[in-house]
């Protein structure tokens, strides 16, 4: 079995342990965060002297158009999800939390001392993931600009830009780390207990990942399809990279820069929220956008496959 997937055998893996972990990490964490955020909104409304219930409900329903509130909501929700995932791994599964990150050793083989979690994370792999995915995004935008330059405009007058940067750096790293820990780590490793084909494991976990992103651009069918398809392909690429590299660091880096680009550099039609970014594009044909984005990311995946062909085949065939 793949070394990274094999980390699952370090702990206890009864089905009920997975059931409880998922409930804690996704359901209970969201309930707690919802109560806290609701309480915060009420306190803010009282201090502002506006307790109109319709205004409050409208604010909550359109949270994704308020980038500052969105980041606060993401931070609070994912913080509880991360805490519950950590607690579940330590006390329910009784295994090392870092086993979701990579296959690094817990103890120094020469001194016998415990290696702290910071030094067990391969920070250079995170940086590599950032640079590779950033190059892909920049190339994608460059090609799109060459095809339709009139749809692009530059906007440097973003309100509260520095506050947004601060909140982004507070909220998004923990958000992408949790998603990678859960989908590329916890879920892939858990599935490997019952499914021996890495390809099937990757397809299942990536499908679940894509379903979680299906409504990121609203409920318009074309945007739901776009988010479903793109998230599925990205999930597959991230999972393959994780198994080939025996850790989630590459995926964390790529995921981080992808969200940074979407929230602050270039937000396209059909993405989460309706806020200003530095690069703005006018609405085009959603169907053509879906085709272009799908072809582009498939080509990118093909290039990565060719570059790491032998390693990928070895991982997918479990050899």
């Amino acid at each position: 079995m793949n070394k990274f997937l094999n980390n699952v055998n370090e702990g206890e893996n009864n089905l009920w342990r997975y059931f409880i972990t998922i409930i804690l990490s996704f359901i209970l964490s969201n309930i707690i965060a919802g109560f806290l955020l609701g309480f915060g909104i009420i306190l803010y409304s009282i201090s502002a002297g506006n307790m109109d219930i319709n205004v409050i409900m409208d604010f909550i329903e359109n949270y994704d158009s308020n980038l500052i509130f969105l980041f606060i909501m993401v931070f609070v929700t994912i913080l509880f999800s991360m805490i519950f995932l950590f607690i579940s791994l330590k006390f329910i599964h009784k295994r090392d939390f870092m086993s979701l990150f990579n296959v690094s050793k817990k103890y120094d083989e020469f001194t016998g001392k415990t290696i702290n979690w910071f030094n067990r994370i391969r920070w250079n792999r995170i940086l590599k993931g950032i640079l590779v995915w950033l190059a892909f995004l920049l190339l994608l935008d460059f090609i799109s600009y060459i095809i339709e330059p009139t749809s692009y405009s530059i906007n440097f007058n973003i309100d509260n830009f520095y506050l947004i940067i601060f909140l982004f750096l507070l909220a998004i790293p923990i958000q992408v780390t949790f998603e990678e820990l859960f989908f590329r780590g916890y879920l892939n490793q858990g599935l490997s207990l019952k499914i021996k084909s890495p390809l099937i494991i990757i397809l299942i976990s990536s499908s679940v990942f894509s379903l979680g992103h299906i409504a990121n651009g609203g409920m318009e069918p074309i945007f739901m399809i776009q988010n479903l398809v793109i998230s599925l392909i990205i999930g597959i690429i991230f999972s393959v990279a994780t198994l080939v590299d025996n850790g989630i660091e590459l995926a964390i880096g790529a995921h981080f820069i992808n969200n940074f680009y979407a929230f602050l550099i270039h937000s396209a039609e059909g993405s989460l929220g309706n806020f200003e970014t530095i690069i703005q594009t006018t609405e085009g044909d959603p169907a053509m956008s879906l085709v272009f984005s799908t072809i582009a990311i498939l080509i990118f995946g093909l290039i990565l496959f060719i570059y790491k062909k032998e390693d990928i085949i070895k991982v997918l065939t479990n050899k």
Side-chain angles (χ1 to χ4, degrees):
M1 184 184 292
N2 176 267
K3 289 181 180 179
F4 179 72
L5 294 179
N6 198 47
N7 278 354
V8 72
N9 292 310
E10 293 181 9
E12 303 291 337
N13 292 299
N14 311 74
L15 184 60
W16 65 266
R17 300 178 195 272
Y18 286 89
F19 183 70
I20 292 177
T21 298
I22 291 172
I23 289 178
L24 290 175
S25 300
F26 281 94
I27 299 176
L28 184 59
S29 61
N30 277 272
I31 291 174
I32 294 174
F35 274 117
L36 290 176
L37 289 168
F39 184 67
I41 291 171
I42 292 174
L43 287 180
Y44 175 79
S45 299
I46 292 174
S47 64
N50 187 355
M51 283 297 294
D52 188 332
I53 188 64
N54 293 321
V55 174
I56 295 175
M57 291 304 298
D58 183 67
F59 180 77
I60 294 174
E61 291 174 2
N62 295 285
Y63 74 90
D64 60 348
S65 63
N66 186 321
L67 197 54
I68 294 175
F69 181 72
L70 174 63
F71 284 157
I72 294 174
M73 187 192 73
V74 167
F75 176 73
V76 174
T77 304
I78 299 299
L79 180 61
F80 279 104
S81 294
M82 185 71 84
I83 290 172
F84 283 127
L85 182 61
F86 176 82
I87 291 173
S88 296
L89 260 288
K90 186 173 180 63
F91 297 105
I92 297 177
H93 287 281
K94 299 178 182 179
R95 57 184 276 208
D96 182 15
F97 185 67
M98 292 301 297
S99 65
L100 295 183
F101 273 89
N102 52 46
V103 296
S104 62
K105 295 180 180 179
K106 188 174 183 179
Y107 301 99
D108 187 289
E109 59 184 12
F110 296 108
T111 65
K113 293 181 179 179
T114 301
I115 303 173
N116 66 58
W117 67 269
F118 186 88
N119 290 328
R120 292 176 66 187
I121 296 175
R122 300 173 299 173
W123 298 99
N124 62 319
R125 312 303 288 170
I126 294 177
L127 179 60
K128 183 176 181 179
I130 289 174
L131 295 176
V132 170
W133 202 260
L134 177 61
F136 165 66
L137 293 173
L138 290 172
L139 180 61
L140 189 64
D141 255 343
F142 177 74
I143 295 172
S144 181
Y145 176 78
I146 294 298
I147 295 173
E148 197 173 3
T150 57
S151 65
Y152 278 72
S153 61
I154 304 297
N155 170 39
F156 287 114
N157 299 315
I158 301 175
D159 293 334
N160 301 315
F161 183 74
Y162 293 107
L163 175 59
I164 291 172
I165 287 287
F166 170 75
L167 291 173
F168 179 93
L169 294 176
L170 181 68
I172 300 306
I174 192 173
Q175 178 251 325
V176 300
T177 301
F178 171 77
E179 289 191 8
E180 295 309 317
L181 283 169
F182 184 84
F183 291 104
R184 257 59 74 180
Y186 185 74
L187 186 56
N188 278 341
Q189 290 176 355
L191 288 170
S192 70
L193 292 167
K194 298 296 183 182
I195 303 171
K196 300 310 174 186
S197 169
L199 180 58
I200 300 300
I201 291 172
I202 288 171
L203 290 175
I204 293 175
S205 66
S206 299
S207 297
V208 176
F209 175 73
S210 67
L211 288 172
H213 293 76
I214 190 172
N216 275 7
M219 301 307 292
E220 289 288 333
I222 186 63
F223 294 139
M224 293 177 72
I225 294 172
Q226 178 170 306
N227 286 319
L228 187 68
V229 172
I230 299 303
S231 296
L232 174 63
I233 300 172
I234 288 177
I236 292 172
I237 292 174
F238 286 2
S239 285
V240 170
T242 294
L243 298 192
V244 169
D245 201 48
N246 282 314
I248 66 171
E249 289 96 341
L250 284 174
I252 287 177
H255 200 157
F256 172 80
I257 199 63
N258 184 79
N259 286 14
F260 179 86
Y261 206 85
F263 281 123
L264 297 173
I265 306 299
H266 183 189
S267 181
E269 184 75 16
S271 60
L272 180 64
N274 183 31
F275 37 78
E276 294 182 312
T277 51
I278 293 175
I279 299 175
Q280 295 185 330
T281 52
T282 56
E283 182 177 354
D285 184 348
M288 286 303 298
S289 176
L290 170 61
V291 172
F292 175 76
S293 299
T294 302
I295 292 175
I297 200 167
L298 283 174
I299 292 174
F300 178 75
L302 179 61
I303 293 172
L304 293 180
F305 175 79
I306 294 172
Y307 176 65
K308 285 284 188 179
K309 182 179 178 180
E310 293 184 3
D311 293 333
I312 292 175
I313 291 176
K314 186 182 295 184
V315 162
L316 296 182
T317 55
N318 218 1
K319 292 182 179 179

